[in-house]
Amino acid sequence: MKVFVYGTLKKGQPNSKLFDNTKDGHYEYLGVGLTVNQYPLVIASRFNIPFMLPVEGRGNKIKGEVYEVDERMLEALDALERHPVFYRREMIPVTSEDGSTVDCGCYILFDFREELLELPFYESYDSKGSHNLEYIQHNKRETTSDKDENQKFISSVKK
Ligand code: PCA
């Protein structure tokens, strides 16, 4: 299974270490990738979380990385991203370095609030970028459960 990562899972970003947890399975880094379609990529919530939104044609073609992962690694990634209740892993087409197009699983925030579309759209995520919205890791978050906080950024439709 191929996955395209665009946020905190990229090399040098705060959740990248997950890939190296061998108990979580195996992976192979296949190189950088660029989404075939444009998507909004925003940074939101008080933890400054990057979100790709399922609004094809708005925003930018997103730069990220492509990995081949085994079943176990995919399960670990799904658990971290809380697929399918928070992010949802969807197949999207990605152009790789050699110019070929591959379908990759990608963690997208499906159930989002419209206000997120008013935020700046990025084309490449860097936790320490000039936006000054550095990602706050799970272990540095306060007692409010992530779930309550994240709920604020998810559309209220299903509540
Ligand atoms: N982790 C996933 C989705 C957003 C995030 O921070 C990724 O890097 O692709």
Side-chain angles (χ1 to χ4, degrees):
M1 169 82 184
K2 289 186 176 55
V3 292
F4 171 78
V5 307
Y6 60 89
T8 59
L9 285 168
K10 290 193 300 184
K11 289 183 190 304
Q13 299 299 323
N15 289 329
S16 162
K17 295 172 290 297
L18 185 106
F19 280 116
D20 291 318
N21 223 339
T22 47
K23 76 166 177 26
D24 287 334
H26 293 96
Y27 72 92
E28 190 188 346
Y29 171 64
L30 299 181
V32 295
L34 183 71
T35 61
V36 169
N37 300 309
Q38 293 161 269
Y39 302 89
L41 167 54
V42 301
I43 301 176
S45 95
R46 75 191 158 89
F47 308 128
N48 297 327
I49 302 174
F51 296 117
M52 244 170 85
L53 307 176
V55 190
E56 267 181 30
R58 282 199 56 189
N60 303 289
K61 294 187 175 184
I62 307 298
K63 289 184 185 147
E65 298 172 351
V66 179
Y67 291 81
E68 177 75 41
V69 298
D70 66 8
E71 191 76 11
R72 200 136 160 216
M73 181 63 73
L74 189 63
E75 278 169 22
L77 296 175
D78 284 353
L80 177 80
E81 308 302 352
R82 281 191 273 125
H83 163 77
V85 292
F86 188 46
Y87 290 96
R88 198 158 97 202
R89 177 164 46 79
E90 281 284 307
M91 298 302 284
I92 62 161
V94 173
T95 308
S96 46
E97 271 170 298
D98 65 4
S100 64
T101 299
V102 283
D103 281 331
C104 301
C106 175
Y107 296 97
I108 294 177
L109 186 72
F110 263 80
D111 187 14
F112 68 94
R113 289 198 176 178
E114 288 293 311
E115 298 104 86
L116 295 197
L117 291 172
E118 286 157 28
L119 294 170
F121 296 160
Y122 301 93
E123 64 170 343
S124 176
Y125 174 76
D126 178 5
S127 164
K128 297 205 163 132
S130 56
H131 46 67
N132 269 322
L133 297 168
E134 192 171 337
Y135 180 74
I136 299 174
Q137 273 169 295
H138 292 255
N139 59 6
K140 303 216 174 86
R141 295 178 191 177
E142 291 159 28
T143 48
T144 331
S145 81
D146 273 15
K147 214 169 144 214
D148 297 343
E149 169 60 19
N150 289 332
Q151 228 17 276
K152 294 185 204 153
F153 294 89
I154 297 177
S155 105
S156 49
V157 180
K158 289 190 187 149
K159 277 202 269 177

